[in-house]
Amino acid sequence: MAKFDFNKPVASFSWYLQNGSADDKRGNRLHVGTGQKAQIYFDPESGEFIGKLKYVDDYIDLADGAKQHFELPRTAREYKPSDFSPKFPISNVKFEVDESVKDFIHVLPRGLFFYQNEFYDAVFGDKTDYPESLKDFLFTRTGDIEAAGEFYGAIEKWPQSVYCTLVEKCNVENRPIPEYENDRALPLDYHKELLASLKDYFGCGESNYRTPGDLIAARSYGSYLSGISLKFNPQDVIAAVEHATETVQAELVPYLSDSFGPDRYLPCGCQVDIPMNDSMVAASQLLRNLQNAGVDIGKLPNLSCDECSQLAAKVIPYVENKAQPAPDRSLGHKHEVNRDAAQRRQTERTTVNQIREEDTVGE
C-alpha cells in the first residue's frame, strides 16, 4: 500500500456562483459573484483534520465599472464539514484529489466533506465505478483497520471522527441488540423523557403523539422505530464502576429501520439514569483494555455495552499484532537458526544412542 504524502491535501474543492443581481447592491457596489476555495489536510502529529479556506467575493463599482476581487483566508483546526458548507444549493463543486488517496478512502471519516458524493466522483472518476456502500458508511473492506493505521499512525492519535465511523461499521457488520424492542416496553419515566426529547429534536409542539414510535413515523419519512439502545459516556462508565456508583447516566437512542437506506441511530439528547448492572461492569473492563491498548477514551463516542465489545474485538487484536516484533529475516539470523536446529538434531541423536547402549548393557 502506498504511503500518503501529508504535505498534500487529502482533497481540494472549490465552487463559484455568479449572482449578478441588480438588487444585490452594497453601497455603491454590485455583488456579482461569491464562492469558496478549500483544502483539507490531515496532520499526523496532532491527529487533526485541518481545513484551509478562502471566501471569494467579486464586486463591480457602480461609479466607474471597476472590478473588485476579495479573498478572505481562514484556517479551521478540528475541521468540521459544516465550516465549509454554503447557505444555498451549489451544483458546480469541483474537487481535486491526489491519486494515492484512493487507497485510504475507506478509512476517511464519514461526512468528512460537505459535498461527499462529488468527492467520491473525483476519486473514482465515475459514479458507476465506486461501491454504493460508500454513500452510507465507510470502513467497508477487510483490513480497513490496518489501512487506518497506515494513514493515521499511532492509535492514540486517531481522530474522534474515525472512532465514530468505526463504531458505525461495527454496527453494520453486527446488527446491534437494542435494550428495548420498542418504545412501549420502556419504563414509563424513560418513555416520557424520550418522547419529550424527540419533540424537541423534531421541533414540534403537538401533544397528539402518544409514543416515540408515533412521532418518528410521522416526522421521519420512510423510517420506523425498531428498537431503543442505551449508550454511555465511556469515562462515566469507568468512573461509576471504580466508585461503586449505583446508577450511571445513559443516552436513550432510538434505532430506526429505514425503507430507503441503512438502519441508523437517532441521537436526540435524551439522558436518563440507569441502575448499574453486570453488562456495564463488563463494558468498563473492555474500555480499560482499549485504554491500555493506547486508545484515547475521551475521543470515543457514547457507546452501548454491545458496541464496547465490538470495538474491542476489532481494535485490540490490531494493536497486539502491531506490537509484535517483525521476524528477523537477515542472513545472519538464518545462519543462527540453522545452527541451532543442527545442534538440536545432534543432541537428539546422542540421546538416542545413549539409550540404545544402556539397553545393550542391560541385556
Side-chain angles (χ1 to χ4, degrees):
M1 179 182 295
K3 292 285 186 181
F4 188 78
D5 183 357
F6 292 106
N7 293 318
K8 297 178 179 179
V10 175
S12 304
F13 68 84
S14 62
W15 58 267
Y16 187 81
L17 183 66
Q18 291 181 332
N19 44 14
S21 169
D23 296 329
D24 196 9
K25 294 180 182 179
R26 305 187 182 185
N28 63 340
R29 300 183 302 177
L30 178 65
H31 190 210
V32 295
T34 188
Q36 289 179 342
K37 297 177 181 178
Q39 292 180 316
I40 314 302
Y41 292 84
F42 180 71
D43 180 0
E45 292 300 318
S46 65
E48 295 175 314
F49 282 95
I50 298 172
K52 295 184 178 181
L53 172 68
K54 286 183 180 178
Y55 295 98
V56 177
D57 283 291
D58 288 315
Y59 298 87
I60 290 179
D61 192 306
L62 295 176
D64 57 13
K67 294 181 179 179
Q68 299 175 349
H69 178 80
F70 297 93
E71 293 189 0
L72 177 64
R74 179 189 169 205
T75 298
R77 298 194 76 88
E78 299 184 1
Y79 159 82
K80 301 179 184 65
S82 57
D83 295 334
F84 291 70
S85 61
K87 298 193 174 4
F88 35 77
I90 298 297
S91 60
N92 63 340
V93 179
K94 297 178 181 178
F95 264 96
E96 294 179 7
V97 295
D98 189 81
E99 178 67 21
S100 60
V101 81
K102 186 181 291 189
D103 288 332
F104 302 102
I105 187 168
H106 284 73
V107 297
L108 296 177
R110 179 182 177 180
L112 178 61
F113 303 104
F114 185 81
Y115 311 99
Q116 194 81 21
N117 287 345
E118 287 82 356
F119 171 62
Y120 297 147
D121 294 344
V123 172
F124 291 99
D126 189 328
K127 287 186 178 180
T128 62
D129 192 36
Y130 63 83
E132 282 294 308
S133 59
L134 278 173
K135 293 181 179 179
D136 303 317
F137 54 84
L138 302 183
F139 281 92
T140 53
R141 301 181 303 187
T142 302
D144 279 340
I145 195 163
E146 285 78 14
E150 288 289 328
F151 188 89
Y152 297 107
I155 198 164
E156 57 267 20
K157 292 184 178 180
W158 289 16
Q160 183 176 20
S161 52
V162 173
Y163 285 115
C164 293
T165 304
L166 183 55
V167 170
E168 272 191 47
K169 172 56 180 168
C170 287
N171 286 325
V172 169
E173 289 181 335
N174 309 285
R175 183 183 174 91
I177 303 169
E179 282 77 8
Y180 303 105
E181 291 184 2
N182 59 62
D183 61 285
R184 297 175 190 273
L186 285 172
L188 184 59
D189 289 344
Y190 298 174
H191 178 286
K192 289 179 178 178
E193 290 190 41
L194 178 59
L195 186 57
S197 292
L198 282 168
K199 285 184 177 181
D200 183 61
Y201 177 88
F202 285 112
C204 60
E206 295 93 337
S207 59
N208 55 332
Y209 298 114
R210 301 186 63 185
T211 69
D214 293 339
L215 183 57
I216 287 172
R219 293 282 168 167
S220 185
Y221 182 67
S223 298
Y224 64 93
L225 186 63
S226 60
I228 297 166
S229 181
L230 294 173
K231 297 202 177 200
F232 306 89
N233 180 300
Q235 294 169 313
D236 289 349
V237 173
I238 291 174
V241 172
E242 287 182 348
H243 297 97
T245 308
E246 294 184 359
T247 63
V248 62
Q249 193 173 69
E251 182 183 12
L252 206 56
V253 186
Y255 188 70
L256 307 187
S257 288
D258 196 326
S259 303
F260 304 102
D263 294 354
R264 60 193 174 93
Y265 284 115
L266 180 67
C268 61
C270 182
Q271 303 289 327
V272 295
D273 287 328
I274 303 294
M276 183 62 69
N277 58 38
D278 292 342
S279 296
M280 296 179 208
V281 174
S284 172
Q285 184 57 55
L286 290 169
L287 289 167
R288 277 293 189 199
N289 294 344
L290 285 166
Q291 198 170 37
N292 293 336
V295 173
D296 184 346
I297 297 296
K299 290 182 179 178
L300 295 180
N302 284 0
L303 299 170
S304 67
C305 295
D306 191 35
E307 287 169 340
C308 288
S309 176
Q310 293 175 26
L311 189 63
K314 271 188 170 291
V315 171
I316 292 175
Y318 161 75
V319 174
E320 290 174 346
N321 289 338
K322 291 285 286 184
Q324 292 178 357
D328 188 349
R329 292 185 171 86
S330 65
L331 186 59
H333 177 71
K334 289 181 179 178
H335 287 322
E336 290 177 5
V337 170
N338 293 337
R339 184 192 61 208
D340 292 344
Q343 289 177 343
R344 283 196 301 273
R345 287 194 296 271
Q346 179 62 42
T347 301
E348 290 168 359
R349 283 196 295 268
T350 302
T351 303
V352 170
N353 290 337
Q354 288 175 345
I355 293 173
R356 286 174 178 172
E357 291 175 0
E358 290 173 359
D359 290 344
T360 303
V361 171
E363 293 173 356

